[in-house]
Amino acid sequence: MNLKQLSMGICLILFSGTFQFSQAQEISAMQAPQVVSPDIADNGSVTFRVFSPNANEVSVNGSWMGFRETLPLTKAENGVWEVTVDPLPSTMYHYNFFIDGVAAIDVTNPHALRDGTRYASLLMIPGEGAKVFQQNDVPHGSLSKVWYDSPSLGMKRRMYVYTPPGYDSSNESYPVLYLLHGAGGDEDAWSSLGRANLILDNLIASGKAKPMLVVMTNGNAWQSSTLTMAPGVTPPTRETYAQWSGKFEKSLVEDVVPYIEDNYQVIKEKDSRAIAGLSMGGGHTITASTTYPGTFGYIGVFSSGIFDPNTNMDEMKNKFIALKDSGVKEYWVGCGVDDFVMESNKRLLSVLDETGFEHDYHESAGGHTWANWRDYLAIFSPMLFK
């Protein structure tokens, strides 16, 4: 066989293999049914579907359901599992399938969310309730991932910074909201799960909130960025967690605030700084504001409070008196009636009441969920910098 014949033989083999692979793909595509999920009806009911012909059991859990509650899907002859849920109110939800007990996102839904190491699929029910969370046809701000030096923690760290529409072409200086996530989250949480940048876009466009920067930091002092441990640092355990107490709050006030005020067009005064956080971030908010009175003029505590029932309450009251005397323009507290931190929340409210600290309290339905925290941000933001 000469070289020409050998080359032709190789080409025929490659062509044959490519043709067979392509043919197999076409056959597979013809055999696998087209799946639409989630399928949202005009009345707000939703049909979930997943193609899993070899599964024995499939169920779904959504954020409109209880934490461990699941709804079974029914299998059709074509291998597609399906269930339809009753109409849901217009807002934002997330959900997961459980295929033979294994959690999975909806592979036909391109919109996914990450909460720490957990992933879920996004569901937006159109209507008035969802408008503030949606990507609407309004001017959009910018969301940047910013690395900065943190001498307090001895490392470089990452944060997300939202700048409002028009910031880049403006000579104006803006106020700043420092927005803190909860346990298990990181600097990505408030934009991914909380939709903070879209909420601000929509509120600013409607004239309900003033244009502002939103700084979303990583509240895990042992991390440099999302799920990344700082060099030479081991993950905290229940026994070693206490050694990190107060370190993030110190880095926030002594590292992050100066960085923002040195590098962005912002107003450098108390009444143009706000701080708010959910759960662990609410605890960080309480600690940062009472440790550094006179730094923040607006304070928001979401689903949090005074966690330790053994806290020296007289000492805590003295801290709140000092904070009150520093001149706080708004102290806002929100919690769900079914939230497991309600007792901690009540301890905080008791301290505020007993020290004569003027505050607003919003009690909502539900528990320790992003559905509440997104709502709280949408309520709290319009109160700022008036």
Side-chain angles (χ1 to χ4, degrees), residues 247-291:
K247 291 190 175 181
F248 165 72
E249 295 90 332
K250 177 181 173 66
S251 73
L252 175 69
V253 175
E254 298 186 12
D255 300 336
V256 175
V257 171
Y259 180 92
I260 294 297
E261 296 189 350
D262 287 344
N263 292 277
Y264 288 87
Q265 298 164 208
V266 300
I267 305 169
K268 304 176 184 180
E269 59 185 28
K270 171 179 64 70
D271 289 345
S272 293
R273 298 190 202 102
I275 184 171
L278 68 92
S279 193
M280 178 184 78
H284 288 158
T285 295
I286 293 170
T287 301
S289 60
T290 56
T291 304

Side-chain angles (χ1 to χ4, degrees), residues 333-348:
V333 180
C335 195
V337 293
D338 298 320
D339 201 313
F340 69 87
V341 302
M342 180 54 81
E343 288 305 311
S344 299
N345 176 66
K346 288 179 178 178
R347 281 191 286 272
L348 170 62

Side-chain angles (χ1 to χ4, degrees), residues 282-294 299-301 304-307 311-328 331-333 344-345 347-359:
H284 288 158
T285 295
I286 293 170
T287 301
S289 60
T290 56
T291 304
Y292 298 88
I299 299 168
V301 180
S304 189
I306 299 172
F307 291 116
T311 298
N312 184 322
M313 297 307 287
D314 288 335
E315 182 179 328
M316 182 61 70
K317 289 174 187 176
N318 288 335
K319 289 182 178 181
F320 271 86
I321 290 170
L323 178 61
K324 179 182 70 170
D325 291 344
S326 72
V328 174
Y331 201 109
W332 192 92
V333 180
S344 299
N345 176 66
R347 281 191 286 272
L348 170 62
L349 294 175
S350 175
V351 170
L352 293 170
D353 288 336
E354 292 177 24
T355 56
F357 201 138
E358 186 176 342
H359 61 281

Side-chain angles (χ1 to χ4, degrees), residues 115-116 179-187 189-190 217-220 277-282 284 302 368 370 373:
D115 186 5
L179 190 58
L180 314 180
H181 63 82
D186 49 51
E187 72 272 24
W190 262 113
T217 57
N218 187 320
N220 306 310
L278 68 92
S279 193
M280 178 184 78
H284 288 158
F302 307 164
H368 210 69
W370 274 103
W373 304 326

Side-chain angles (χ1 to χ4, degrees), residues 350-380:
S350 175
V351 170
L352 293 170
D353 288 336
E354 292 177 24
T355 56
F357 201 138
E358 186 176 342
H359 61 281
D360 290 309
Y361 178 51
H362 176 81
E363 192 168 275
S364 59
H368 210 69
T369 65
W370 274 103
N372 272 338
W373 304 326
R374 286 188 292 265
D375 284 344
Y376 296 167
L377 178 62
I379 295 168
F380 182 63

